[in-house]
Amino acid sequence: MTIGLLTEPLVLVLFSNIFAAAGRWEEVSKLREEMQIKGLKKEPDCSWHDEGRGLNLHPLSRMVLPSIISKLAASYVFSRAAYLSSCSRRMSNVPENSVYGGPKSQNPDQRVTLNNLRKKYRSAEPITVVTAYDYPSAVHVDEVGIDICLVGDSASMVVHGHDTTLPISLDEMLVHCRAVARGAKHPLLVGDLPFGSYESSSQQAVETAVRVLKEGGMDAIKLEGGAPSRIAAAKAIVEAGIAVMGHVGLTPQAISVLGGFRPQGKNVASAVKVVETALALQEVGCFSVVLECIPAIVAAATTSALRIPTIGIGAGSFCSGQVLVYHDLLGMMQHPHHAKVTPKFCKPYGRIGEAINKALLQYKEEVTNKSFPSAAHTPYKISPDDLNGFLTELQKMGLDKAASAAAAASTSTSEKTEGL
Ligand SMILES: *[C@@H]1O[C@H](CO)[C@@H](O)[C@H](O)[C@H]1NC(C)=O
């Protein structure tokens, strides 16, 4: 087969129909983009027209495809594999460019979407989630290709130094959200609704969620709990067009009624409640549910009962994905969450806190013993002519001591430079 054939509008339409029949919507969408580039227009009756030639291709969508066409499609998939895989990420909070022509089409290599996550979930590929709270953490999370970046209300503890997640305000969360949105260009961005910003009514919840998207630049929100009013709030937010991640098990905002940061699902009633709550969140349209601090067996049952991905934290290996708090996994410090130590379930993948201490201590010592800044970190020079002029001016101003200091500095820096 030739590349020429592959790019014929007729063939593009055929492949589009083949992929549509197979439910491979991502490929369909890519092909439709290509068809538009080639001047093919989609008509309201769902057929495709080549405007240049007035060719109506509609009947083709109904034709029975001979096996040769399937073979053609198979090799097309191979030839396009690299291209398609490079296009598997797009902005989730902006429309795909196949429907409306905007000022500029979105870079398709941009943002993880719910579709990408669904695909991973269906193929049983684990979903990776990390929290981030500011621009530098977001850049790091972005760089390694984490699927979801959660701007967690854990910021209250790991960034603001509170004992719980309760004190952080919506406005504080929005500052974190905006900073993360500037740094993380690829992961799906999920913003936590902080305590006190969504419990009063579904209306309050929708208003808060809207702010998290509009002012925080997030793609989706997460809210805790499974009481009927929370389920109703999740439903209202989804109906407002905002993707919602649920959160069951240990819900740190409920520390007051839970009586502390305690694992959940450890007895029959509590375990059943985890499963029921997760199912209820799924029913109202949540795209995923976080399972925090529950036995792995309960997480396995919940994951199996659901048809949306579960994201575990302290919930064992049977979840569809995992999330950890940035500072915990990097070994930044012993943050106050879970009895003032890094939680038992957290594996420290780094000892960044130690590295930071070491660097700060060395800086302090080098400033104290004057080995910093050396000539290597003293980049700005004045030319010999300007130096002479400057010394003359200083003397004219009666600043003889300053002139001698400048002259001495000039000798010592040039000596040091020569010595290097
Ligand atoms: C200054 O302190 C640094 C850091 O402890 C040390 O490596 C260096 O040798 C010291 N330099 C002098 C001149 O004392």
Side-chain angles (χ1 to χ4, degrees), residues 199 223-234 247-248 251 273 277 280-281:
E199 300 87 342
L223 55 76
E224 286 187 11
S229 62
R230 301 294 167 84
I231 304 289
H247 182 163
V248 303
T251 47
K273 194 178 146 205
T277 310
L281 287 164

Side-chain angles (χ1 to χ4, degrees), residues 229-247:
S229 62
R230 301 294 167 84
I231 304 289
K235 183 169 192 278
I237 296 169
V238 172
E239 284 171 1
I242 297 170
V244 177
M245 186 179 239
H247 182 163

Side-chain angles (χ1 to χ4, degrees), residues 22-336:
R24 300 179 62 167
W25 299 111
E26 218 171 327
E27 280 91 327
V28 171
S29 134
K30 292 316 301 175
L31 283 167
R32 286 185 180 165
E33 275 175 34
E34 194 149 325
M35 285 185 248
Q36 287 200 329
I37 291 162
K38 294 190 175 301
L40 289 162
K41 281 264 152 57
K42 187 113 173 70
E43 298 297 322
D45 68 353
C46 295
S47 63
W48 289 86
H49 299 272
D50 180 329
E51 289 198 314
R53 283 172 271 174
L55 173 63
N56 187 342
L57 299 164
H58 186 43
L60 287 167
S61 63
R62 300 205 181 111
M63 76 186 263
V64 179
L65 296 163
S67 71
I68 185 156
I69 298 289
S70 314
K71 281 179 194 149
L72 215 62
S75 69
Y76 181 82
V77 170
F78 282 121
S79 73
R80 302 284 284 170
Y83 174 63
L84 290 172
S85 73
S86 77
C87 295
S88 63
R89 294 175 150 194
R90 32 174 83 246
M91 301 282 283
S92 53
N93 57 356
V94 290
E96 296 190 350
N97 63 3
S98 55
V99 182
Y100 297 116
K104 182 171 172 285
S105 68
Q106 297 297 326
N107 179 353
D109 190 23
Q110 276 286 298
R111 186 73 75 186
V112 171
T113 66
L114 297 195
N115 283 338
N116 302 138
L117 296 176
R118 236 172 259 134
K119 218 167 136 188
K120 272 204 159 184
Y121 172 66
R122 286 205 197 108
S123 56
E125 246 186 282
I127 294 166
T128 55
V129 188
V130 176
T131 68
Y133 311 99
D134 53 15
Y135 179 80
S137 54
V139 167
H140 282 295
V141 167
D142 186 80
E143 220 148 68
V144 300
I146 295 290
D147 296 315
I148 301 178
C149 183
L150 171 65
V151 184
D153 62 353
S154 42
S156 177
M157 302 169 77
V158 298
V159 179
H160 295 271
H162 296 297
D163 281 345
T164 70
T165 58
L166 306 191
I168 199 164
S169 70
L170 177 58
D171 286 326
E172 286 169 326
M173 282 299 295
L174 289 172
V175 173
H176 291 295
C177 288
R178 285 194 288 271
V180 167
R182 287 179 209 118
K185 300 297 174 201
H186 298 92
L188 182 85
L189 301 178
V190 179
D192 256 340
L193 300 193
F195 179 66
S197 73
Y198 65 102
E199 300 87 342
S200 306
S201 65
S202 291
Q203 187 190 337
Q204 186 202 22
V206 170
E207 283 167 4
T208 301
V210 165
R211 285 192 67 191
V212 170
L213 265 69
K214 281 182 110 135
E215 298 172 40
M218 297 289 101
D219 301 313
I221 63 98
K222 178 168 83 58
L223 55 76
E224 286 187 11
S229 62
R230 301 294 167 84
I231 304 289
K235 183 169 192 278
I237 296 169
V238 172
E239 284 171 1
I242 297 170
V244 177
M245 186 179 239
H247 182 163
V248 303
L250 167 55
T251 47
Q253 290 178 12
I255 185 174
S256 170
V257 290
L258 297 179
F261 291 127
R262 294 175 189 288
Q264 303 296 306
K266 289 183 73 174
N267 58 51
V268 176
S270 177
V272 167
K273 194 178 146 205
V274 167
V275 178
E276 280 178 349
T277 310
L279 280 168
L281 287 164
Q282 169 181 274
E283 285 322 302
V284 297
C286 289
F287 71 93
S288 175
V289 179
V290 168
L291 307 178
E292 180 163 354
C293 295
I294 58 172
I297 291 166
V298 179
T302 310
T303 303
S304 165
L306 296 184
R307 49 175 201 281
I308 54 173
T310 57
I311 305 297
I313 175 162
S317 63
F318 303 106
C319 300
S320 326
Q322 298 290 331
V323 58
L324 282 178
V325 166
Y326 185 81
H327 294 68
D328 292 347
L329 86 87
L330 291 179
M332 296 278 263
M333 56 183 177
Q334 298 200 319
H335 85 74

Side-chain angles (χ1 to χ4, degrees), residues 361-363 365-371:
L361 194 64
Q362 191 179 347
Y363 166 73
E365 286 175 3
E366 290 196 1
V367 169
T368 306
N369 72 15
K370 294 189 170 230
S371 59

